[in-house]
Amino acid sequence: MVNAMRNKFLTVLTILGLSFFSVSCGEGNIVIPGVQGPNVSLLEDNIIVSMVLEDVTMMVGATYKVPKYDKSFVGLNPNLEGPGTVLTFTVSLDDIFSGDVQELDPKTLPGGRMIPGVASGALPAVAFTIKDKLKNTAFYVGPKVFGIWVPLPKFELYGFAWTKGFKAGNKHVGNISLFGKDENGENSGFFIALSVSKSSQIKKLKRQSRKF
């Protein structure tokens, strides 16, 4: 079962690599204030989600292990190409499909807001803090969805929420959601989610792409 899920997810990522894989640059996708990206790629058995946080400044880089994810890491490094900091999530597929991770307690998004596109509004998750600048960063793993929450403490709009799908070719394969601060003036950020429930459509699209 784990291997089957893993293969489905690899199929999704492969076709994403062929036709999308830069959420912020695709036509009609959300432009996130203060963020260049995110960009998503697959390197061997790892999902790499990277972005530049323009409002975060660091002079020294660091790598942090993700709690409960034995082979996954988060990196923060000074941006060599301009202002800001490069934030990189390296997420092992072994961790995503680990039984231990699947059995984590379900969580909503930080601040109690429901996860868009998920009927229950919650998924098994682990939340952690990267220094004080990125409080409540979180990974979510469900039977059909994998997602990352990235806090944006300097995004000042209140009560704002926007979710938009992104596509591989003409197939919807996930969502990206942007949230302003809640009623307590906290928990602004964005949530990027990949669906693994579209595997049959993705496989068909992958076969078609080989004809070109």
Side-chain angles (χ1 to χ4, degrees):
M1 181 65 179
V2 170
N3 286 336
M5 293 175 65
R6 178 191 179 96
N7 290 338
K8 287 181 180 180
F9 203 82
L10 280 168
T11 302
V12 172
L13 290 172
T14 299
I15 193 62
L16 280 174
L18 291 173
S19 58
F20 191 77
F21 257 29
S22 181
V23 175
S24 65
C25 297
E27 182 179 354
N29 289 292
I30 293 176
V31 176
I32 303 172
V35 178
Q36 298 176 27
N39 304 297
V40 185
S41 59
L42 181 66
L43 179 62
E44 296 179 346
D45 284 348
N46 297 308
I47 306 164
I48 311 296
V49 181
S50 62
M51 65 204 73
V52 174
L53 303 181
E54 297 173 344
D55 297 328
V56 176
T57 301
M58 291 186 64
M59 300 304 295
V60 179
T63 300
Y64 304 87
K65 187 175 180 180
V66 179
K68 306 295 185 181
Y69 284 62
D70 293 338
K71 300 179 181 179
S72 300
F73 301 89
V74 180
L76 278 171
N77 291 284
N79 182 20
L80 297 178
E81 299 179 321
T85 295
V86 178
L87 171 64
T88 304
F89 298 92
T90 302
V91 188
S92 169
L93 294 180
D94 289 339
D95 286 342
I96 289 177
F97 298 117
S98 163
D100 293 339
V101 169
Q102 296 283 340
E103 293 174 4
L104 292 170
D105 292 335
K107 295 180 183 292
T108 57
L109 296 178
R113 289 178 288 198
M114 301 293 101
I115 297 175
V118 176
S120 65
L123 289 170
V126 56
F128 53 99
T129 295
I130 307 172
K131 292 186 173 293
D132 294 330
K133 300 179 184 292
L134 295 173
K135 182 180 179 181
N136 288 332
T137 303
F139 284 4
Y140 295 78
V141 177
K144 296 182 179 180
V145 176
F146 164 69
I148 297 175
W149 169 262
V150 180
L152 297 174
K154 294 190 176 182
F155 184 49
E156 296 295 340
L157 289 180
Y158 283 74
F160 175 87
W162 185 18
T163 295
K164 188 173 182 65
F166 62 84
K167 297 179 178 181
N170 62 348
K171 303 297 182 182
H172 173 253
V173 295
N175 290 337
I176 186 165
S177 304
L178 179 62
F179 290 87
K181 295 183 183 295
D182 58 23
E183 58 186 10
N184 297 318
E186 300 175 334
N187 299 309
S188 53
F190 71 92
F191 182 69
I192 181 171
L194 294 176
S195 170
V196 296
S197 64
K198 308 291 186 180
S199 59
S200 60
Q201 296 178 354
I202 297 299
K203 288 178 181 178
K204 181 179 179 181
L205 184 59
K206 184 177 180 182
R207 288 195 298 269
Q208 291 173 346
S209 69
R210 289 173 178 169
K211 298 178 182 179
F212 298 96

